[in-house]
Amino acid sequence: MLKNIGKTLEKNNFRYSYLDGSIPSIDRMKMVEEFNNGENSVFLISLKAGGTGLNLTSADIVIHFDPWWNPAVEDQATDRAHRIGQKNVVEVIKLIAKGTIEEKIVDLQDTKRELISKILGDDLSADNINTLSEEDILSLFN
């Protein structure tokens, strides 16, 4: 998906950075610096790329195009733009087409978040675990 977005950006003469898991860490740091210095306005980042050193303090929009089954991975990607030193209000957008596998993934993420909230809750007490249904517990192992 990111490569397709990159092609569209190129056709429309937008400068951008592209980061996936194949980019060495020294190049990552240079790309982050260029982005934060305003040398380009778009940073395409694969969720698989990892978050080390990605402090995107000049970002003001995060768009998730391709959801991941694990909501924590997406949260980490969003947090790259919510770092110390951030001066912008950051808007986070998820683009999900209705009736697609992506929509099912988002539903799974919501279910996982709800389950985590039930288990951990705000007070981390054992009472929260007692509120889980048999179905909730079995879903942990499916």
Side-chain angles (χ1 to χ4, degrees), residues 47-139:
L47 290 176
K48 295 180 183 179
T52 306
L54 297 180
N55 296 321
L56 305 176
T57 55
S58 66
D60 54 7
I61 300 174
V62 175
I63 303 173
H64 292 284
F65 286 96
D66 210 2
W68 194 289
W69 66 271
N70 183 348
V73 174
E74 281 188 19
D75 292 345
Q76 181 189 25
T78 298
D79 290 345
R80 292 173 183 152
H82 288 102
R83 302 288 196 195
I84 293 173
Q86 175 59 271
K87 294 180 176 79
N88 301 318
V89 173
V90 179
E91 184 175 0
V92 180
I93 301 166
K94 272 188 170 185
L95 295 179
I96 306 297
K98 187 173 174 96
T100 63
I101 186 113
E102 286 81 9
E103 187 177 38
K104 292 177 184 178
I105 291 171
V106 169
D107 289 343
L108 177 61
Q109 288 176 338
D110 292 342
T111 301
K112 289 180 87 169
R113 279 191 179 98
E114 185 179 317
L115 184 58
I116 289 166
S117 177
K118 279 185 181 179
I119 291 172
L120 298 179
D122 292 331
D123 60 4
L124 300 177
S125 71
D127 293 338
N128 291 323
I129 294 172
N130 294 333
T131 64
L132 293 175
S133 69
E134 183 177 338
E135 183 179 310
D136 289 335
I137 295 169
L138 289 174
S139 72

